[in-house]
Amino acid sequence: MSFLQDPSFFTMGLWSIGAGALGAAALALVLANTDVFLSKPQKAALEYLEDIDLKTLEKEPRTLKAKELWEKNGAVIMAVRRPGCFLCREEAADLSSLKSMLDQLGVPLYAVVKEHIRTEVKDFQPYFKGEIFLDEKKKFYGPQRRKMMFMGFIRLGVWYNFFRAWNGGFSGNLEGEGFILGGVFVVGSGKQGILLEHREKEFGDKVNLLSVLEAAKMIKPQTLASEEK
């Protein structure tokens, strides 16, 4: 048992433990930056979206079915993860940059939020050039809600998104629920269907604006669609 009295034995043991811990941490970091542990989004059916109850954000809220948003002219709809999030504000501003082109196509731009607390929506509105509705049951974030918890803060892609938004001059706060991931939909008129469905895979995963515009150009207004039948 004389080896127990040898200081180098303990040094080697501590070094081995430290190396093992570093190796495990490195492996965890690598895996966290792959899509292995990300929950896979479940595609939403048109019938699912149509039946969602939304509320206007007026002093006297009105409840409506979501299909009213796109029934005649289709729509581009942003499901906002958190209005106070500076990444969400960045994407809202990006989508709003398409507003003039969408107006030419006759396609409205909308957003839905999952909660309405204090002045969060009001503070979000300068970034978004469309009407905003409340989705209290968080249906636009389903059918299978996906969350990104603290793993998001060790993903390199998320940090890249952070710096991109910061460099763009966007700022925000920590008010409200921000772990349930959002997305963007382009829905055709009537029963034309969902033409684009972008599901945020991590914080700041923005939709491709060209894809939004291409999908919007595919929308056939209900009157035109009826004439072609």
Side-chain angles (χ1 to χ4, degrees):
M1 301 293 287
S2 59
F3 66 90
L4 293 176
Q5 300 175 357
D6 185 354
S8 64
F9 172 78
F10 291 101
T11 301
M12 185 177 297
L14 290 172
W15 184 88
S16 298
I17 293 171
L22 285 174
L27 178 60
L29 185 62
V30 169
L31 290 176
N33 280 279
T34 68
D35 293 347
V36 173
F37 295 114
L38 296 182
S39 55
K40 300 298 184 289
Q42 181 182 343
K43 292 287 185 181
L46 179 63
E47 293 73 21
Y48 170 84
L49 294 182
E50 285 179 329
D51 200 45
I52 295 175
D53 289 321
L54 299 176
K55 283 186 178 179
T56 61
L57 297 178
E58 304 158 337
K59 289 185 178 180
E60 296 183 4
R62 179 175 72 91
T63 300
L64 66 151
K65 291 295 184 183
K67 66 179 181 180
E68 290 185 35
L69 302 186
W70 60 78
E71 201 159 27
K72 292 183 179 179
N73 297 300
V76 176
I77 305 168
M78 177 183 181
V80 182
R81 181 166 52 81
R82 190 171 64 80
C85 170
F86 70 113
L87 296 171
C88 299
R89 291 176 174 183
E90 180 196 30
E91 183 166 32
D94 285 354
L95 285 170
S96 294
S97 72
L98 301 178
K99 185 68 165 61
S100 61
M101 289 176 277
L102 292 174
D103 286 345
Q104 290 177 11
L105 295 170
V107 177
L109 176 64
Y110 298 118
V112 297
V113 295
K114 47 181 143 66
E115 54 188 358
H116 187 200
I117 55 176
R118 289 180 281 281
T119 62
E120 289 305 291
V121 174
K122 180 181 177 182
D123 295 340
F124 179 73
Q125 285 176 323
Y127 303 94
F128 190 76
K129 297 179 180 178
E131 191 172 354
I132 303 172
F133 299 86
L134 177 62
D135 176 14
E136 287 182 314
K137 295 182 179 178
K138 305 177 180 65
K139 293 288 189 176
F140 263 99
Y141 304 83
Q144 178 184 336
R145 289 180 206 161
R146 297 168 305 114
K147 287 187 176 183
M148 172 158 281
M149 305 299 283
F150 297 104
M151 182 181 74
F153 297 102
I154 59 173
R155 287 181 64 85
L156 297 179
V158 171
W159 282 99
Y160 170 81
N161 297 338
F162 283 166
F163 286 117
R164 181 195 64 219
W166 277 327
N167 288 334
F170 293 92
S171 61
N173 57 54
L174 299 176
E175 295 285 343
E177 196 287 320
F179 294 119
I180 298 176
L181 297 170
V184 174
F185 299 85
V186 179
V187 188
S189 65
K191 293 293 184 180
Q192 193 178 357
I194 301 170
L195 304 176
L196 181 145
E197 181 176 350
H198 168 78
R199 297 286 186 166
E200 193 180 25
K201 77 172 185 177
E202 62 185 6
F203 303 144
D205 175 30
K206 299 191 296 182
V207 69
N208 182 291
L209 296 181
L210 287 177
S211 297
V212 171
L213 203 53
E214 288 172 4
K217 289 177 180 177
M218 295 168 59
I219 295 175
K220 297 179 180 179
Q222 191 64 19
T223 52
L224 180 59
S226 300
E227 290 172 1
E228 291 181 353
K229 288 183 181 179

